[in-house]
Amino acid sequence: MKSLRIILLSIFMFGYQLASAQATGGISGKVSLFDGQPYASASVTLLETIKTTLTDEQGRYSFQTLNPGNYTVRIQILGTAQKDISVQVLAGQTAMADYQLTKENVLALQEVTIPGNVNKFSRKESVYVARLPLKNLENPQVYSSIPKELFQEQMATDLGSIAKNVPGAGIPMIANQGRVTFRSRGFDTEPNARNGVAGAAFASIDPANIERVEVIKGPSTTLFGTSIASSYGGLYNRVTKKPYNGFGGELSYFAGSWDFNRIAVDVNTPVNADKTALFRLNAATSFEKTFQDQGFTNSLSIAPSFSYQITDKLSLLLDVEFGQAKGTSVVRFNPYISPTVASEKSIKELGFPYNKTFIGNDLPYQTQMMNIFAQANYKMSADWTSQTIISRARSSINGYITALRGTAETKISPQIITGSTAFIATNIQQNFIGDFKIANLRNRLVVGLDYYNNSNDFDRVTVNFPAVDFTNTPVSYRVSRFKVDSLTSKGALRRESNGDNTYSAYFSDVINITERLLAMVSLRMNHFENKGVYNITTGETSGGLTAAGKQNGPYKQTSLSQKFGMVYEVSKDHVSLFGNYMGGFFNKSGVTASGAAVKPEQANQLEFGVKGDVFDHKLVGTISYYDIKVKDVLRNDPDNLDNYQIQDGTQLSRGVEVELTANPFAGFNMVAGYAYNDSKLTKSSPSTNGLRPGLSGPPHSFNFWMSYRVPQGELKGLGIGFGGNAGSSAYHTNTTTTKIIIPAYTMLDASIFYDQPKYRVGFKVDNLTSEKAWSVRLTPQAPARFIGNVTLKF
């Protein structure tokens, strides 16, 4: 009887559910871009039930078990006008409610991925470059975008390898803590922006959570300030991976030369039933020895991210980066410069050993990085959106940092810095973004307030070792921890802290004068407050002057920077002509011999060129010419050489950049770039006046990567890739008496891979010919490196 009751109850429940299903209905639909491609993560709300969901990667959504009647589906995408669709639900039926965006609303203020583009290396659309939903052809500024499709195919596992695809980036300069610096238009540029705001990291940055790298060219202070280490050449912005509506991920393993081992994981999942709360985790761990006689790196990166569509108008994104590493410093060689004897030699002619470090593996550094990023988007109205961002970045360095100082033509003195350093940066932004019309002219406007706080602590001792001949060094010679620790008490002690605050207000307006003619007007006011240098040992904040006339005490500076641009689309959505005039600045400390405080250093850029996106996105490119003039550069006062500086130095940087991505036929994709840079110190000390600055990189550089993947048939997914980088000779040191030349180089790479829906395997060789090459800091580059990869997709 008990079994019978259970059977009857089951039949009753099934019948009830069947009757309920027949008595109710549902609503389904798809949200797509103007070209028909699906739009993921759009907010869809059913007003009568206050139910909200997000579209999946196919742009689809659904609401089920709805009572028959009339409903309103509201589709909200931040940065675009909301769309209300009236729908009638009938019992036992599913009503359809699709929505397709217009051309004017291709971008939103949250992360947008445009899938299906056959030119997979071209992902130019960005909401960060202009801080507005602005298409590449509408933007009067030049920028490069390196998507994950490109650097994943290249099996790039570090930022230096990714940046090889940027015209003019050159060989990356690796600092002692794994930090990486690139060249841009003749100036140092670091990847210290993350999702458009400060994300400074004085340590190595693992690319496990990077969706793409955006390289914004030219002085960019007007929209981004100086807090995120933008240079006059531009800035590098790391766009991180965002959660999406669906379950999926990858597990990857890499192995290669010099005991290289790496495991990376990417897992994404919805958190709640409505799929409005999403979670994604990216993590990686790596170990590698160097090709030299000593040296290693061991790292761990964990990067969770969480997004929540709280209401149809309010969304939240939380993004965290945690990384730690232990390793030895790369070779940093500073050759001897004779004050009296003129010389001109290549680094090859100096005879410095290519495979030797002189430093033992028992002198490692340890770094830890924690970056927290939170963003709230609130749709205030159909035309206005509020964007609130809080970013906090912390980096710490402990252990040993090394350098090799030249004391004679063939002698070096190893220099060891031991101790701890900590950097903390806090950035708070409030932006209001509008898209509206005035006198029938479309305006896209961002108005923002920005607060940035920087705090640094140093507790370090510097130890200098006796000189040794690097051309005839004893085999047993090695700087060890025992030797360093025994000399630490005799070293130079630095125990201090410093910090600064920056308060900024800015706006940028893009006006459609006609459908094809656009104008950009931007302005930033920046107030900088330096807190001075606090000596922890003495308990005093230093003031007055250093030996070079610089001021260590607190000071304040206020600056203005501008950005003006024009775009004319010769062929709507295909070809545009552009030009810009924009400025940048850096705060400088010190006083002149007259007692007057120095002012911020300034730079202005004039740039023009052409952008194209033709043949159904199969050919995308930019050709530009730029002219950067730097003024108010500090230099030693020739009449007061030991005590003061004067602020009349100038520098020019001019050049041409070309970047192309192409998909000429099915399965074949390529990216190529060329950069020419002519930099010159036009008013400086007599020893450098009129010369190209040292460390400014090669005047000519070229990069390319091409790949072919079988598009169909039994071998579908099988592919090969080939590319490389080349640079003309450059200078480490360039004065009227001493020139240390970095030779020209050509480094070629090749790969083969097999990519399937559930897995991917690949093999690559970097630097096929084992070309000997050096960074601007004279760090030798690795010879041929072999790497294999297996990735499982789920």
Side-chain angles (χ1 to χ4, degrees):
M1 290 296 295
K2 184 177 180 181
S3 299
L4 180 60
R5 285 198 300 269
I6 293 175
I7 294 173
L8 291 174
L9 181 60
S10 298
I11 293 173
F12 172 78
M13 292 300 298
F14 175 77
Y16 175 78
Q17 292 174 356
L18 181 62
S20 297
Q22 291 175 341
T24 61
I27 299 175
S28 295
K30 179 180 179 181
V31 178
S32 57
L33 298 169
F34 74 93
D35 59 359
Q37 299 298 329
Y39 184 94
S41 298
S43 171
V44 184
T45 302
L46 199 61
L47 297 186
E48 286 74 13
T49 64
I50 321 180
K51 290 183 178 179
T52 299
T53 187
L54 297 175
T55 56
D56 61 19
E57 288 199 295
Q58 286 73 46
R60 300 190 179 280
Y61 70 92
S62 66
F63 298 100
Q64 300 301 326
T65 62
L66 300 175
N67 293 324
N70 295 321
Y71 292 87
T72 303
V73 174
R74 174 167 291 174
I75 298 173
Q76 298 241 72
I77 299 172
L78 293 176
T80 71
Q82 69 185 28
K83 178 65 175 179
D84 289 346
I85 304 175
S86 298
V87 183
Q88 184 180 22
V89 174
L90 301 176
Q93 299 183 23
T94 298
M96 301 302 296
D98 296 339
Y99 175 57
Q100 187 171 20
L101 280 74
T102 64
K103 285 187 177 182
E104 288 73 20
N105 292 327
V106 171
L107 296 176
L109 293 178
Q110 56 193 27
E111 181 63 19
V112 177
T113 300
I114 303 177
N117 189 344
V118 292
N119 192 349
K120 63 181 181 179
F121 294 161
S122 178
R123 295 285 189 267
K124 297 291 286 188
E125 311 305 347
S126 170
V127 297
Y128 304 108
V129 175
R131 292 194 181 278
L132 288 167
L134 197 66
K135 293 183 292 185
N136 176 45
L137 292 181
E138 297 177 319
N139 196 327
Q141 189 170 5
V142 172
Y143 62 94
S144 299
S145 182
I146 311 304
K148 66 180 180 182
E149 289 85 356
L150 175 54
F151 58 78
Q152 282 182 347
E153 184 174 286
Q154 296 173 336
M155 286 183 269
T157 58
D158 60 90
L159 279 180
S161 298
I162 294 173
K164 288 162 56 172
N165 300 289
V166 179
I171 295 175
M173 183 182 77
I174 308 297
N176 289 321
Q177 308 84 26
R179 290 166 50 205
V180 61
T181 303
F182 311 104
R183 310 273 81 67
S184 183
R185 299 188 171 181
F187 301 94
D188 287 355
T189 308
E190 297 186 16
N192 280 345
R194 186 177 87 261
N195 296 327
V197 298
F202 292 91
S204 61
I205 300 172
D206 196 291
N209 69 326
I210 292 181
E211 181 74 25
R212 66 178 180 273
V213 175
E214 297 176 343
V215 186
I216 307 171
K217 299 300 185 73
S220 300
T221 307
T222 304
L223 288 182
F224 298 96
T226 60
S227 60
I228 55 178
S230 64
S231 75
Y232 297 142
L235 69 89
Y236 276 67
N237 179 42
R238 310 181 325 262
V239 179
T240 59
K241 296 176 181 177
K242 308 297 189 299
Y244 56 89
N245 186 354
F247 176 79
E250 294 182 351
L251 176 64
S252 299
Y253 174 67
F254 299 81
S257 303
W258 310 300
D259 293 337
F260 178 67
N261 280 276
R262 174 180 173 85
I263 295 177
V265 63
D266 180 355
V267 180
N268 186 91
T269 182
V271 176
N272 59 0
D274 291 336
K275 298 184 178 181
T276 55
L278 310 172
F279 177 77
R280 190 169 187 174
L281 176 66
N282 287 274
T285 182
S286 299
F287 175 81
E288 183 179 19
K289 295 179 181 178
T290 72
F291 69 93
Q292 296 169 308
D293 58 348
Q294 294 275 279
F296 72 94
T297 303
N298 191 353
S299 65
L300 171 68
S301 173
I302 302 174
S305 57
F306 173 77
S307 69
Y308 184 29
Q309 190 75 36
I310 303 172
T311 69
D312 60 334
K313 294 184 178 182
L314 177 63
S315 68
L316 174 69
L317 173 66
L318 179 64
D319 183 312
V320 178
E321 290 177 323
F322 172 81
Q324 63 181 27
K326 182 178 181 179
T328 53
S329 300
V330 299
V331 169
R332 182 180 63 176
F333 175 41
N334 298 312
Y336 172 72
I337 308 299
S338 173
T340 57
V341 180
S343 66
E344 180 175 339
K345 286 189 176 181
S346 162
I347 177 63
K348 285 185 177 181
E349 296 174 312
L350 289 176
F352 186 82
Y354 199 80
N355 297 320
K356 194 173 182 62
T357 66
F358 299 92
I359 309 296
N361 279 349
D362 59 347
L363 290 173
Y365 63 81
Q366 291 179 305
T367 64
Q368 189 177 94
M369 175 189 72
M370 173 73 83
N371 290 340
I372 301 174
F373 174 92
Q375 175 177 314
N377 289 334
Y378 180 71
K379 193 169 182 62
M380 302 165 60
S381 68
D383 297 332
W384 286 94
T385 298
S386 168
Q387 183 186 72
T388 306
I389 300 173
I390 300 175
S391 175
R392 188 167 177 84
R394 183 187 187 278
S395 299
S396 63
I397 307 164
N398 296 282
Y400 302 87
I401 301 172
T402 66
L404 302 173
R405 300 183 306 111
T407 58
E409 186 169 326
T410 62
K411 290 186 176 183
I412 55 171
S413 169
Q415 183 181 77
I416 314 297
I417 300 174
T418 179
S420 62
T421 307
F423 306 89
I424 300 178
T426 303
N427 194 193
I428 302 174
Q429 278 187 16
Q430 174 59 54
N431 296 311
F432 296 97
I433 301 106
D435 189 340
F436 54 91
K437 288 187 177 182
I438 298 178
N440 208 33
L441 298 179
R442 185 187 183 192
N443 287 256
R444 278 166 284 182
L445 172 69
V446 57
V447 179
L449 299 173
D450 191 343
Y451 167 73
Y452 180 80
N453 170 264
N454 179 62
S455 178
N456 307 317
D457 292 285
F458 301 88
D459 191 350
R460 308 196 304 198
V461 174
T462 300
V463 177
N464 293 300
F465 277 75
V468 62
D469 191 329
F470 59 72
T471 63
N472 189 26
T473 312
V475 176
S476 60
Y477 180 85
R478 183 76 54 197
V479 177
S480 66
R481 177 180 293 189
F482 174 78
K483 295 177 182 178
V484 173
D485 292 346
S486 65
L487 295 175
T488 298
S489 61
K490 302 177 183 179
L493 175 65
R494 182 184 182 188
R495 184 171 293 164
E496 63 189 30
S497 64
N498 60 66
D500 53 72
N501 291 309
T502 304
Y503 306 87
S504 303
Y506 54 87
F507 80 91
S508 181
D509 191 12
V510 177
I511 306 169
N512 276 81
I513 300 173
T514 68
E515 185 183 16
R516 297 187 178 187
L517 180 63
L518 295 86
M520 174 183 283
V521 180
S522 311
L523 184 67
R524 183 186 194 94
M525 184 179 73
N526 203 81
H527 180 67
F528 178 78
E529 295 181 353
N530 185 288
K531 298 178 181 179
V533 178
Y534 174 71
N535 189 309
I536 298 173
T537 303
T538 64
E540 297 179 351
T541 299
S542 59
L545 304 175
T546 66
K550 293 184 178 180
Q551 181 181 357
N552 281 339
Y555 67 95
K556 301 178 180 179
Q557 291 177 341
T558 300
S559 307
L560 291 174
S561 61
Q562 82 296 329
K563 179 180 178 181
F564 305 109
M566 296 288 294
V567 172
Y568 179 68
E569 295 191 60
V570 179
S571 176
K572 182 65 176 173
D573 298 324
H574 297 297
V575 179
S576 66
L577 303 176
F578 68 91
N580 66 63
Y581 179 76
M582 55 188 184
F585 61 88
F586 281 99
N587 297 101
K588 298 293 181 178
S589 64
V591 296
T592 63
S594 64
V598 303
K599 54 188 177 181
E601 184 182 276
Q602 300 280 340
N604 289 294
Q605 171 185 273
L606 177 65
E607 180 180 30
F608 55 86
V610 59
K611 296 182 179 183
D613 187 339
V614 296
F615 307 124
D616 193 25
H617 308 297
K618 290 185 177 181
L619 179 62
V620 179
T622 303
I623 303 174
S624 64
Y625 169 82
Y626 62 88
D627 187 326
I628 301 173
K629 292 183 173 64
V630 185
K631 64 177 183 177
D632 298 328
V633 179
L634 287 170
R635 63 188 183 97
N636 291 331
D637 188 338
D639 298 323
N640 298 275
L641 190 60
D642 296 329
N643 296 309
Y644 295 100
Q645 294 178 301
I646 56 177
Q647 195 172 23
D648 65 350
T650 57
Q651 180 180 341
L652 297 179
S653 180
R654 299 166 176 164
V656 175
E657 290 179 341
V658 180
E659 182 179 41
L660 297 172
T661 62
N663 171 234
F665 54 88
F668 182 80
N669 287 269
M670 69 170 294
V671 57
Y674 167 74
Y676 166 69
N677 174 257
D678 177 21
S679 288
K680 184 183 299 183
L681 297 169
T682 49
K683 191 170 186 180
S684 64
S685 65
S687 63
T688 58
N689 195 48
L691 300 179
R692 182 179 180 85
L695 310 182
S696 56
H700 299 270
S701 61
F702 177 72
N703 65 278
F704 76 98
W705 178 262
M706 59 181 69
S707 69
Y708 176 73
R709 181 187 309 221
V710 178
Q712 56 188 0
E714 294 183 358
L715 297 178
K716 181 179 179 180
L718 179 65
I720 57 173
F722 179 74
N725 296 76
S728 57
S729 61
Y731 292 106
H732 172 274
T733 303
N734 187 21
T735 70
T736 54
T737 57
T738 303
K739 299 182 187 299
I740 298 176
I741 300 170
I742 303 172
Y745 65 90
T746 300
M747 304 173 74
L748 301 175
D749 310 324
S751 71
I752 182 170
F753 55 88
Y754 187 53
D755 197 355
Q756 293 296 300
K758 295 296 183 180
Y759 66 91
R760 184 183 191 277
V761 294
F763 179 78
K764 187 187 179 188
V765 183
D766 291 319
N767 195 6
L768 277 166
T769 61
S770 291
E771 176 89 338
K772 287 189 174 181
W774 289 261
S775 73
V776 293
R777 288 182 86 171
L778 301 182
T779 302
Q781 301 301 293
R785 179 196 188 205
F786 303 88
I787 185 170
N789 164 243
V790 177
T791 297
L792 302 179
K793 307 175 186 180
F794 52 89

